[in-house]
Amino acid sequence: MRARFPGFSPGERLVAVTSVVWPDSRHPYRYWRGWLQPLTPHAEVGLLAAHFERDLPLRVGPYGALFPTADVPPKGGVVARPGLYVPYRVELVYPEPPAVPHVYVQYPRVDEGAFPNHPHLLSARPHPAGGPRSAACVFAPHEGLWTWEGATGAQILEWAAIWLAKHVLWAQQGGRPQDWLGDQAPHDRSTLLRTTRPSAPCWCGSGRASQRCCRRTAQASGAA
């Protein structure tokens, strides 16, 4: 992890806010905490925005700095503005398996309190120590992109760097749901019920099958 993200260091802390993922406040949770700065003064912002819009791969360097990989026309209307090149203090929190890790943007804070209309936050995942009220939705748990057996925390931080860059551009372009660049995973319960198999990991990140987790609540609320 430190080789890829030198600004991060590990630690442990006691759970203060219990939830489905952290039900026992007697146990500590593990984390990696540090800084990500996906957009630097040397970044070609229009070219990166074009990569986001087309869902093209990006190279992620130290501290999460993003670099384009394809020669495509830059996206028009995207300009460098004050606040674009801001480092973010991020915490990657590891719950007990099978729940998947979550990313929290601590400073400048990015949660549903600061951005109530944000299209890619997990409102049901408050920080276990009472920090941000929601986690960044950097990947869809029900799509099986990350597993305890086959993935690493560095992979999640790469996704977090891309998510943060999209967030910065989204906020500066107006902060409407439709301003988010690239494909968007569904967050409404009706769509999640239709697209998530009952045996697939639940979309909330608990690691349990959806039929044994949020599917029941969603069906009971009439979302089906």
Side-chain angles (χ1 to χ4, degrees):
M1 177 78 84
R2 281 176 172 163
R4 297 289 309 281
F5 296 94
F8 278 75
S9 58
E12 283 190 355
R13 193 174 179 182
L14 288 177
V15 172
V17 179
T18 58
S19 66
V20 173
V21 175
W22 294 281
D24 193 341
S25 61
R26 296 172 299 176
H27 293 164
Y29 67 89
R30 294 177 297 120
Y31 63 81
W32 281 84
R33 182 186 296 158
W35 295 86
L36 291 176
Q37 186 173 358
L39 299 176
T40 69
H42 303 291
E44 300 175 76
V45 180
L47 188 53
L48 289 175
H51 278 62
F52 296 151
E53 199 168 49
R54 294 168 170 82
D55 289 304
L56 296 172
L58 292 156
R59 183 170 67 85
V60 183
Y63 299 96
L66 300 180
F67 301 92
T69 62
D71 185 12
V72 295
K75 178 176 173 59
V78 179
V79 297
R81 298 177 182 175
L84 193 69
Y85 310 117
V86 175
Y88 284 83
R89 188 173 188 244
V90 169
E91 193 169 278
L92 172 61
V93 172
Y94 286 88
E96 290 297 316
V100 301
H102 287 88
V103 172
Y104 296 90
V105 185
Q106 296 181 313
Y107 183 82
R109 181 165 293 192
V110 180
D111 65 2
E112 62 182 0
F115 298 92
N117 297 321
H118 203 293
H120 289 285
L121 289 172
L122 291 170
S123 59
R125 288 291 169 266
H127 191 277
R133 291 163 48 185
S134 37
C137 186
V138 303
F139 68 100
H142 60 286
E143 293 180 355
L145 298 176
W146 195 94
T147 64
W148 283 95
E149 296 79 19
T152 65
Q155 176 64 72
I156 295 181
L157 288 181
E158 286 190 1
W159 294 334
I162 294 171
W163 186 95
L164 272 172
K166 289 185 176 184
H167 160 76
V168 172
L169 294 177
W170 168 81
Q172 295 214 354
Q173 296 303 313
R176 300 170 300 174
Q178 62 268 30
D179 293 323
W180 192 266
L181 294 173
D183 288 343
Q184 299 189 41
H187 287 74
D188 63 283
R189 289 182 173 182
S190 297
T191 304
L192 289 168
L193 278 172
R194 292 197 309 270
T195 58
T196 306
R197 301 188 315 276
S199 60
C202 187
W203 54 79
C204 75
S206 68
R208 296 193 294 267
S210 67
Q211 62 188 353
R212 298 178 180 176
C213 197
C214 294
R215 177 174 288 271
R216 295 176 178 177
T217 305
Q219 290 174 329
S221 68

mmCIF file of all heavy atoms in Angstrom, residues 59-105:
data_model
loop_
_atom_site.group_PDB
_atom_site.id
_atom_site.type_symbol
_atom_site.label_atom_id
_atom_site.label_comp_id
_atom_site.label_asym_id
_atom_site.label_seq_id
_atom_site.Cartn_x
_atom_site.Cartn_y
_atom_site.Cartn_z
ATOM 1 N N ARG A 59 -4.213 6.157 -15.774
ATOM 2 C CA ARG A 59 -3.074 5.741 -14.970
ATOM 3 C C ARG A 59 -3.104 6.517 -13.657
ATOM 4 O O ARG A 59 -3.289 7.737 -13.658
ATOM 5 C CB ARG A 59 -1.764 5.987 -15.711
ATOM 6 C CG ARG A 59 -0.538 5.494 -14.940
ATOM 7 C CD ARG A 59 0.704 5.540 -15.805
ATOM 8 N NE ARG A 59 1.104 6.895 -16.142
ATOM 9 C CZ ARG A 59 1.859 7.688 -15.372
ATOM 10 N NH1 ARG A 59 2.276 7.244 -14.193
ATOM 11 N NH2 ARG A 59 2.194 8.898 -15.773
ATOM 12 N N VAL A 60 -2.961 5.790 -12.563
ATOM 13 C CA VAL A 60 -2.996 6.415 -11.236
ATOM 14 C C VAL A 60 -1.585 6.411 -10.669
ATOM 15 O O VAL A 60 -0.967 5.369 -10.478
ATOM 16 C CB VAL A 60 -3.951 5.671 -10.296
ATOM 17 C CG1 VAL A 60 -4.023 6.373 -8.943
ATOM 18 C CG2 VAL A 60 -5.348 5.568 -10.916
ATOM 19 N N GLY A 61 -1.055 7.601 -10.410
ATOM 20 C CA GLY A 61 0.300 7.735 -9.890
ATOM 21 C C GLY A 61 0.317 7.909 -8.382
ATOM 22 O O GLY A 61 -0.698 7.719 -7.702
ATOM 23 N N PRO A 62 1.471 8.269 -7.825
ATOM 24 C CA PRO A 62 1.575 8.502 -6.373
ATOM 25 C C PRO A 62 0.586 9.564 -5.909
ATOM 26 O O PRO A 62 0.286 10.510 -6.638
ATOM 27 C CB PRO A 62 3.025 8.965 -6.199
ATOM 28 C CG PRO A 62 3.757 8.385 -7.369
ATOM 29 C CD PRO A 62 2.774 8.413 -8.502
ATOM 30 N N TYR A 63 0.065 9.376 -4.709
ATOM 31 C CA TYR A 63 -0.925 10.280 -4.112
ATOM 32 C C TYR A 63 -2.213 10.361 -4.933
ATOM 33 O O TYR A 63 -2.990 11.308 -4.788
ATOM 34 C CB TYR A 63 -0.342 11.681 -3.904
ATOM 35 C CG TYR A 63 0.846 11.687 -2.985
ATOM 36 C CD1 TYR A 63 2.142 11.656 -3.499
ATOM 37 C CD2 TYR A 63 0.689 11.681 -1.603
ATOM 38 C CE1 TYR A 63 3.245 11.628 -2.649
ATOM 39 C CE2 TYR A 63 1.782 11.656 -0.757
ATOM 40 C CZ TYR A 63 3.062 11.626 -1.286
ATOM 41 O OH TYR A 63 4.151 11.600 -0.445
ATOM 42 N N GLY A 64 -2.449 9.369 -5.796
ATOM 43 C CA GLY A 64 -3.683 9.323 -6.563
ATOM 44 C C GLY A 64 -3.727 10.252 -7.756
ATOM 45 O O GLY A 64 -4.802 10.456 -8.335
ATOM 46 N N ALA A 65 -2.592 10.837 -8.159
ATOM 47 C CA ALA A 65 -2.580 11.725 -9.320
ATOM 48 C C ALA A 65 -2.990 10.956 -10.568
ATOM 49 O O ALA A 65 -2.515 9.845 -10.809
ATOM 50 C CB ALA A 65 -1.198 12.334 -9.506
ATOM 51 N N LEU A 66 -3.874 11.538 -11.370
ATOM 52 C CA LEU A 66 -4.429 10.869 -12.538
ATOM 53 C C LEU A 66 -3.766 11.352 -13.824
ATOM 54 O O LEU A 66 -3.501 12.547 -13.994
ATOM 55 C CB LEU A 66 -5.937 11.109 -12.621
ATOM 56 C CG LEU A 66 -6.765 10.614 -11.436
ATOM 57 C CD1 LEU A 66 -8.242 10.925 -11.659
ATOM 58 C CD2 LEU A 66 -6.566 9.118 -11.207
ATOM 59 N N PHE A 67 -3.538 10.387 -14.736
ATOM 60 C CA PHE A 67 -2.924 10.687 -16.025
ATOM 61 C C PHE A 67 -3.711 9.985 -17.128
ATOM 62 O O PHE A 67 -4.087 8.818 -16.974
ATOM 63 C CB PHE A 67 -1.470 10.208 -16.043
ATOM 64 C CG PHE A 67 -0.609 10.825 -14.981
ATOM 65 C CD1 PHE A 67 -0.457 10.216 -13.739
ATOM 66 C CD2 PHE A 67 0.027 12.038 -15.203
ATOM 67 C CE1 PHE A 67 0.329 10.781 -12.756
ATOM 68 C CE2 PHE A 67 0.825 12.617 -14.215
ATOM 69 C CZ PHE A 67 0.970 11.981 -12.996
ATOM 70 N N PRO A 68 -3.964 10.681 -18.243
ATOM 71 C CA PRO A 68 -4.712 10.066 -19.345
ATOM 72 C C PRO A 68 -3.891 8.975 -20.020
ATOM 73 O O PRO A 68 -2.658 8.967 -19.962
ATOM 74 C CB PRO A 68 -4.982 11.240 -20.286
ATOM 75 C CG PRO A 68 -3.909 12.245 -19.975
ATOM 76 C CD PRO A 68 -3.599 12.086 -18.516
ATOM 77 N N THR A 69 -4.578 8.059 -20.673
ATOM 78 C CA THR A 69 -3.916 6.965 -21.392
ATOM 79 C C THR A 69 -4.267 6.934 -22.864
ATOM 80 O O THR A 69 -3.638 6.196 -23.619
ATOM 81 C CB THR A 69 -4.306 5.608 -20.775
ATOM 82 O OG1 THR A 69 -5.718 5.422 -20.898
ATOM 83 C CG2 THR A 69 -3.900 5.530 -19.312
ATOM 84 N N ALA A 70 -5.271 7.722 -23.279
ATOM 85 C CA ALA A 70 -5.726 7.674 -24.671
ATOM 86 C C ALA A 70 -5.670 9.069 -25.277
ATOM 87 O O ALA A 70 -5.830 10.083 -24.579
ATOM 88 C CB ALA A 70 -7.143 7.115 -24.753
ATOM 89 N N ASP A 71 -5.439 9.115 -26.584
ATOM 90 C CA ASP A 71 -5.394 10.381 -27.318
ATOM 91 C C ASP A 71 -6.792 10.657 -27.866
ATOM 92 O O ASP A 71 -7.150 10.242 -28.966
ATOM 93 C CB ASP A 71 -4.374 10.295 -28.456
ATOM 94 C CG ASP A 71 -4.192 11.626 -29.172
ATOM 95 O OD1 ASP A 71 -4.674 12.644 -28.641
ATOM 96 O OD2 ASP A 71 -3.604 11.633 -30.268
ATOM 97 N N VAL A 72 -7.594 11.341 -27.071
ATOM 98 C CA VAL A 72 -8.965 11.674 -27.458
ATOM 99 C C VAL A 72 -9.150 13.177 -27.351
ATOM 100 O O VAL A 72 -8.413 13.858 -26.627
ATOM 101 C CB VAL A 72 -9.997 10.944 -26.559
ATOM 102 C CG1 VAL A 72 -9.909 9.436 -26.759
ATOM 103 C CG2 VAL A 72 -9.784 11.303 -25.094
ATOM 104 N N PRO A 73 -10.139 13.735 -28.068
ATOM 105 C CA PRO A 73 -10.375 15.176 -27.954
ATOM 106 C C PRO A 73 -10.794 15.541 -26.532
ATOM 107 O O PRO A 73 -11.591 14.828 -25.910
ATOM 108 C CB PRO A 73 -11.518 15.429 -28.946
ATOM 109 C CG PRO A 73 -11.510 14.256 -29.863
ATOM 110 C CD PRO A 73 -11.017 13.100 -29.055
ATOM 111 N N PRO A 74 -10.266 16.617 -25.975
ATOM 112 C CA PRO A 74 -10.670 17.024 -24.627
ATOM 113 C C PRO A 74 -12.139 17.438 -24.585
ATOM 114 O O PRO A 74 -12.698 17.883 -25.598
ATOM 115 C CB PRO A 74 -9.745 18.201 -24.303
ATOM 116 C CG PRO A 74 -9.168 18.630 -25.601
ATOM 117 C CD PRO A 74 -9.247 17.502 -26.553
ATOM 118 N N LYS A 75 -12.754 17.280 -23.436
ATOM 119 C CA LYS A 75 -14.146 17.681 -23.272
ATOM 120 C C LYS A 75 -14.220 19.195 -23.204
ATOM 121 O O LYS A 75 -13.493 19.838 -22.448
ATOM 122 C CB LYS A 75 -14.736 17.073 -22.001
ATOM 123 C CG LYS A 75 -16.182 17.476 -21.720
ATOM 124 C CD LYS A 75 -16.734 16.771 -20.500
ATOM 125 C CE LYS A 75 -18.107 17.314 -20.124
ATOM 126 N NZ LYS A 75 -19.089 17.172 -21.225
ATOM 127 N N GLY A 76 -15.094 19.782 -24.007
ATOM 128 C CA GLY A 76 -15.244 21.223 -24.010
ATOM 129 C C GLY A 76 -15.966 21.741 -22.777
ATOM 130 O O GLY A 76 -16.730 21.030 -22.127
ATOM 131 N N GLY A 77 -15.700 22.992 -22.444
ATOM 132 C CA GLY A 77 -16.389 23.629 -21.331
ATOM 133 C C GLY A 77 -15.830 23.314 -19.960
ATOM 134 O O GLY A 77 -16.360 23.798 -18.955
ATOM 135 N N VAL A 78 -14.790 22.492 -19.894
ATOM 136 C CA VAL A 78 -14.186 22.142 -18.606
ATOM 137 C C VAL A 78 -12.923 22.984 -18.447
ATOM 138 O O VAL A 78 -11.967 22.830 -19.207
ATOM 139 C CB VAL A 78 -13.849 20.648 -18.530
ATOM 140 C CG1 VAL A 78 -13.203 20.309 -17.195
ATOM 141 C CG2 VAL A 78 -15.106 19.813 -18.738
ATOM 142 N N VAL A 79 -12.929 23.858 -17.482
ATOM 143 C CA VAL A 79 -11.802 24.763 -17.282
ATOM 144 C C VAL A 79 -11.314 24.654 -15.846
ATOM 145 O O VAL A 79 -12.045 24.251 -14.941
ATOM 146 C CB VAL A 79 -12.196 26.221 -17.600
ATOM 147 C CG1 VAL A 79 -12.571 26.366 -19.059
ATOM 148 C CG2 VAL A 79 -13.349 26.675 -16.708
ATOM 149 N N ALA A 80 -10.055 25.030 -15.632
ATOM 150 C CA ALA A 80 -9.478 25.032 -14.290
ATOM 151 C C ALA A 80 -10.018 26.225 -13.513
ATOM 152 O O ALA A 80 -9.979 27.357 -13.983
ATOM 153 C CB ALA A 80 -7.959 25.094 -14.382
ATOM 154 N N ARG A 81 -10.558 25.945 -12.337
ATOM 155 C CA ARG A 81 -11.118 26.988 -11.484
ATOM 156 C C ARG A 81 -10.506 26.878 -10.095
ATOM 157 O O ARG A 81 -9.928 25.849 -9.745
ATOM 158 C CB ARG A 81 -12.641 26.846 -11.395
ATOM 159 C CG ARG A 81 -13.352 27.008 -12.735
ATOM 160 C CD ARG A 81 -14.844 26.785 -12.572
ATOM 161 N NE ARG A 81 -15.549 26.894 -13.849
ATOM 162 C CZ ARG A 81 -16.838 26.656 -14.010
ATOM 163 N NH1 ARG A 81 -17.564 26.276 -12.971
ATOM 164 N NH2 ARG A 81 -17.397 26.781 -15.193
ATOM 165 N N PRO A 82 -10.652 27.930 -9.269
ATOM 166 C CA PRO A 82 -10.134 27.850 -7.891
ATOM 167 C C PRO A 82 -10.747 26.648 -7.151
ATOM 168 O O PRO A 82 -11.931 26.363 -7.270
ATOM 169 C CB PRO A 82 -10.588 29.176 -7.270
ATOM 170 C CG PRO A 82 -10.715 30.109 -8.430
ATOM 171 C CD PRO A 82 -11.186 29.266 -9.588
ATOM 172 N N GLY A 83 -9.924 25.959 -6.420
ATOM 173 C CA GLY A 83 -10.395 24.793 -5.679
ATOM 174 C C GLY A 83 -10.286 23.489 -6.430
ATOM 175 O O GLY A 83 -10.636 22.435 -5.891
ATOM 176 N N LEU A 84 -9.798 23.540 -7.666
ATOM 177 C CA LEU A 84 -9.712 22.312 -8.465
ATOM 178 C C LEU A 84 -8.584 21.409 -7.978
ATOM 179 O O LEU A 84 -8.717 20.187 -7.975
ATOM 180 C CB LEU A 84 -9.498 22.670 -9.936
ATOM 181 C CG LEU A 84 -9.689 21.561 -10.970
ATOM 182 C CD1 LEU A 84 -11.159 21.169 -11.051
ATOM 183 C CD2 LEU A 84 -9.200 22.003 -12.340
ATOM 184 N N TYR A 85 -7.482 22.013 -7.546
ATOM 185 C CA TYR A 85 -6.289 21.230 -7.196
ATOM 186 C C TYR A 85 -6.149 21.106 -5.674
ATOM 187 O O TYR A 85 -5.166 21.529 -5.075
ATOM 188 C CB TYR A 85 -5.053 21.877 -7.794
ATOM 189 C CG TYR A 85 -5.196 22.195 -9.264
ATOM 190 C CD1 TYR A 85 -5.144 23.507 -9.718
ATOM 191 C CD2 TYR A 85 -5.427 21.190 -10.185
ATOM 192 C CE1 TYR A 85 -5.286 23.812 -11.065
ATOM 193 C CE2 TYR A 85 -5.587 21.480 -11.532
ATOM 194 C CZ TYR A 85 -5.520 22.787 -11.967
ATOM 195 O OH TYR A 85 -5.681 23.069 -13.292
ATOM 196 N N VAL A 86 -7.154 20.518 -5.061
ATOM 197 C CA VAL A 86 -7.199 20.413 -3.601
ATOM 198 C C VAL A 86 -6.869 18.991 -3.174
ATOM 199 O O VAL A 86 -7.444 18.035 -3.708
ATOM 200 C CB VAL A 86 -8.598 20.801 -3.075
ATOM 201 C CG1 VAL A 86 -8.707 20.571 -1.576
ATOM 202 C CG2 VAL A 86 -8.904 22.250 -3.418
ATOM 203 N N PRO A 87 -5.961 18.799 -2.213
ATOM 204 C CA PRO A 87 -5.754 17.459 -1.645
ATOM 205 C C PRO A 87 -6.891 17.121 -0.680
ATOM 206 O O PRO A 87 -7.420 17.998 0.009
ATOM 207 C CB PRO A 87 -4.417 17.583 -0.923
ATOM 208 C CG PRO A 87 -4.301 19.031 -0.589
ATOM 209 C CD PRO A 87 -5.010 19.794 -1.668
ATOM 210 N N TYR A 88 -7.248 15.857 -0.635
ATOM 211 C CA TYR A 88 -8.336 15.388 0.229
ATOM 212 C C TYR A 88 -7.809 14.376 1.232
ATOM 213 O O TYR A 88 -7.076 13.456 0.867
ATOM 214 C CB TYR A 88 -9.444 14.742 -0.600
ATOM 215 C CG TYR A 88 -10.319 15.728 -1.337
ATOM 216 C CD1 TYR A 88 -9.929 16.247 -2.568
ATOM 217 C CD2 TYR A 88 -11.525 16.155 -0.798
ATOM 218 C CE1 TYR A 88 -10.729 17.161 -3.244
ATOM 219 C CE2 TYR A 88 -12.335 17.057 -1.464
ATOM 220 C CZ TYR A 88 -11.933 17.556 -2.683
ATOM 221 O OH TYR A 88 -12.721 18.461 -3.349
ATOM 222 N N ARG A 89 -8.200 14.574 2.492
ATOM 223 C CA ARG A 89 -7.854 13.605 3.535
ATOM 224 C C ARG A 89 -8.886 12.487 3.513
ATOM 225 O O ARG A 89 -10.089 12.723 3.676
ATOM 226 C CB ARG A 89 -7.830 14.268 4.907
ATOM 227 C CG ARG A 89 -7.291 13.368 6.018
ATOM 228 C CD ARG A 89 -7.164 14.184 7.289
ATOM 229 N NE ARG A 89 -6.473 13.436 8.330
ATOM 230 C CZ ARG A 89 -7.037 13.072 9.471
ATOM 231 N NH1 ARG A 89 -8.299 13.369 9.713
ATOM 232 N NH2 ARG A 89 -6.345 12.427 10.373
ATOM 233 N N VAL A 90 -8.398 11.279 3.293
ATOM 234 C CA VAL A 90 -9.273 10.137 3.044
ATOM 235 C C VAL A 90 -8.965 9.033 4.055
ATOM 236 O O VAL A 90 -7.816 8.858 4.464
ATOM 237 C CB VAL A 90 -9.056 9.615 1.603
ATOM 238 C CG1 VAL A 90 -9.739 8.272 1.380
ATOM 239 C CG2 VAL A 90 -9.574 10.633 0.593
ATOM 240 N N GLU A 91 -9.999 8.316 4.445
ATOM 241 C CA GLU A 91 -9.808 7.160 5.312
ATOM 242 C C GLU A 91 -10.453 5.940 4.655
ATOM 243 O O GLU A 91 -11.639 5.954 4.328
ATOM 244 C CB GLU A 91 -10.420 7.400 6.689
ATOM 245 C CG GLU A 91 -9.982 6.375 7.726
ATOM 246 C CD GLU A 91 -10.370 6.779 9.137
ATOM 247 O OE1 GLU A 91 -9.636 7.584 9.741
ATOM 248 O OE2 GLU A 91 -11.403 6.301 9.620
ATOM 249 N N LEU A 92 -9.646 4.912 4.455
ATOM 250 C CA LEU A 92 -10.128 3.626 3.939
ATOM 251 C C LEU A 92 -10.343 2.715 5.140
ATOM 252 O O LEU A 92 -9.387 2.335 5.817
ATOM 253 C CB LEU A 92 -9.107 3.021 2.969
ATOM 254 C CG LEU A 92 -9.366 1.591 2.494
ATOM 255 C CD1 LEU A 92 -10.682 1.482 1.739
ATOM 256 C CD2 LEU A 92 -8.208 1.106 1.621
ATOM 257 N N VAL A 93 -11.604 2.393 5.422
ATOM 258 C CA VAL A 93 -11.968 1.675 6.639
ATOM 259 C C VAL A 93 -12.258 0.219 6.326
ATOM 260 O O VAL A 93 -13.011 -0.092 5.397
ATOM 261 C CB VAL A 93 -13.196 2.337 7.298
ATOM 262 C CG1 VAL A 93 -13.707 1.486 8.450
ATOM 263 C CG2 VAL A 93 -12.833 3.729 7.796
ATOM 264 N N TYR A 94 -11.631 -0.661 7.106
ATOM 265 C CA TYR A 94 -11.819 -2.102 6.944
ATOM 266 C C TYR A 94 -12.737 -2.637 8.050
ATOM 267 O O TYR A 94 -12.337 -2.676 9.213
ATOM 268 C CB TYR A 94 -10.483 -2.837 7.032
ATOM 269 C CG TYR A 94 -9.600 -2.684 5.826
ATOM 270 C CD1 TYR A 94 -8.710 -1.628 5.733
ATOM 271 C CD2 TYR A 94 -9.642 -3.603 4.789
ATOM 272 C CE1 TYR A 94 -7.883 -1.487 4.628
ATOM 273 C CE2 TYR A 94 -8.824 -3.472 3.681
ATOM 274 C CZ TYR A 94 -7.947 -2.411 3.611
ATOM 275 O OH TYR A 94 -7.142 -2.270 2.515
ATOM 276 N N PRO A 95 -13.955 -3.059 7.708
ATOM 277 C CA PRO A 95 -14.789 -3.749 8.688
ATOM 278 C C PRO A 95 -14.390 -5.220 8.768
ATOM 279 O O PRO A 95 -13.453 -5.667 8.096
ATOM 280 C CB PRO A 95 -16.195 -3.584 8.112
ATOM 281 C CG PRO A 95 -15.960 -3.575 6.631
ATOM 282 C CD PRO A 95 -14.618 -2.904 6.421
ATOM 283 N N GLU A 96 -15.091 -5.972 9.575
ATOM 284 C CA GLU A 96 -14.852 -7.405 9.621
ATOM 285 C C GLU A 96 -15.438 -8.055 8.368
ATOM 286 O O GLU A 96 -16.533 -7.697 7.941
ATOM 287 C CB GLU A 96 -15.502 -8.018 10.871
ATOM 288 C CG GLU A 96 -14.823 -7.622 12.175
ATOM 289 C CD GLU A 96 -13.384 -8.119 12.237
ATOM 290 O OE1 GLU A 96 -13.144 -9.291 11.863
ATOM 291 O OE2 GLU A 96 -12.499 -7.338 12.639
ATOM 292 N N PRO A 97 -14.722 -9.010 7.749
ATOM 293 C CA PRO A 97 -15.296 -9.725 6.613
ATOM 294 C C PRO A 97 -16.607 -10.413 7.035
ATOM 295 O O PRO A 97 -16.756 -10.768 8.219
ATOM 296 C CB PRO A 97 -14.217 -10.759 6.258
ATOM 297 C CG PRO A 97 -12.955 -10.200 6.847
ATOM 298 C CD PRO A 97 -13.384 -9.463 8.087
ATOM 299 N N PRO A 98 -17.573 -10.547 6.116
ATOM 300 C CA PRO A 98 -17.443 -10.345 4.674
ATOM 301 C C PRO A 98 -17.756 -8.934 4.192
ATOM 302 O O PRO A 98 -17.779 -8.693 2.992
ATOM 303 C CB PRO A 98 -18.476 -11.324 4.117
ATOM 304 C CG PRO A 98 -19.576 -11.289 5.126
ATOM 305 C CD PRO A 98 -18.882 -11.166 6.470
ATOM 306 N N ALA A 99 -18.053 -7.983 5.105
ATOM 307 C CA ALA A 99 -18.348 -6.622 4.673
ATOM 308 C C ALA A 99 -17.147 -6.037 3.937
ATOM 309 O O ALA A 99 -15.998 -6.318 4.276
ATOM 310 C CB ALA A 99 -18.691 -5.754 5.877
ATOM 311 N N VAL A 100 -17.430 -5.232 2.912
ATOM 312 C CA VAL A 100 -16.354 -4.670 2.094
ATOM 313 C C VAL A 100 -15.861 -3.358 2.703
ATOM 314 O O VAL A 100 -16.589 -2.687 3.446
ATOM 315 C CB VAL A 100 -16.832 -4.431 0.643
ATOM 316 C CG1 VAL A 100 -17.292 -5.727 0.013
ATOM 317 C CG2 VAL A 100 -17.933 -3.382 0.585
ATOM 318 N N PRO A 101 -14.612 -2.978 2.437
ATOM 319 C CA PRO A 101 -14.100 -1.691 2.931
ATOM 320 C C PRO A 101 -14.871 -0.512 2.350
ATOM 321 O O PRO A 101 -15.459 -0.596 1.269
ATOM 322 C CB PRO A 101 -12.649 -1.691 2.460
ATOM 323 C CG PRO A 101 -12.310 -3.126 2.228
ATOM 324 C CD PRO A 101 -13.579 -3.760 1.749
ATOM 325 N N HIS A 102 -14.855 0.592 3.090
ATOM 326 C CA HIS A 102 -15.511 1.815 2.643
ATOM 327 C C HIS A 102 -14.522 2.977 2.699
ATOM 328 O O HIS A 102 -13.591 2.980 3.512
ATOM 329 C CB HIS A 102 -16.723 2.139 3.512
ATOM 330 C CG HIS A 102 -17.891 1.243 3.267
ATOM 331 N ND1 HIS A 102 -18.067 0.050 3.922
ATOM 332 C CD2 HIS A 102 -18.934 1.353 2.415
ATOM 333 C CE1 HIS A 102 -19.176 -0.529 3.501
ATOM 334 N NE2 HIS A 102 -19.714 0.242 2.593
ATOM 335 N N VAL A 103 -14.769 3.963 1.841
ATOM 336 C CA VAL A 103 -13.928 5.152 1.753
ATOM 337 C C VAL A 103 -14.702 6.348 2.300
ATOM 338 O O VAL A 103 -15.854 6.586 1.911
ATOM 339 C CB VAL A 103 -13.506 5.422 0.297
ATOM 340 C CG1 VAL A 103 -12.786 6.768 0.184
ATOM 341 C CG2 VAL A 103 -12.608 4.304 -0.220
ATOM 342 N N TYR A 104 -14.063 7.097 3.186
ATOM 343 C CA TYR A 104 -14.656 8.309 3.749
ATOM 344 C C TYR A 104 -13.748 9.491 3.437
ATOM 345 O O TYR A 104 -12.540 9.425 3.655
ATOM 346 C CB TYR A 104 -14.840 8.174 5.256
ATOM 347 C CG TYR A 104 -15.810 7.083 5.633
ATOM 348 C CD1 TYR A 104 -15.354 5.785 5.856
ATOM 349 C CD2 TYR A 104 -17.174 7.335 5.739
ATOM 350 C CE1 TYR A 104 -16.244 4.767 6.187
ATOM 351 C CE2 TYR A 104 -18.066 6.321 6.073
ATOM 352 C CZ TYR A 104 -17.595 5.042 6.288
ATOM 353 O OH TYR A 104 -18.467 4.036 6.600
ATOM 354 N N VAL A 105 -14.350 10.562 2.921
ATOM 355 C CA VAL A 105 -13.609 11.780 2.605
ATOM 356 C C VAL A 105 -13.797 12.729 3.781
ATOM 357 O O VAL A 105 -14.863 13.318 3.968
ATOM 358 C CB VAL A 105 -14.100 12.407 1.295
ATOM 359 C CG1 VAL A 105 -13.228 13.605 0.926
ATOM 360 C CG2 VAL A 105 -14.081 11.373 0.165
#
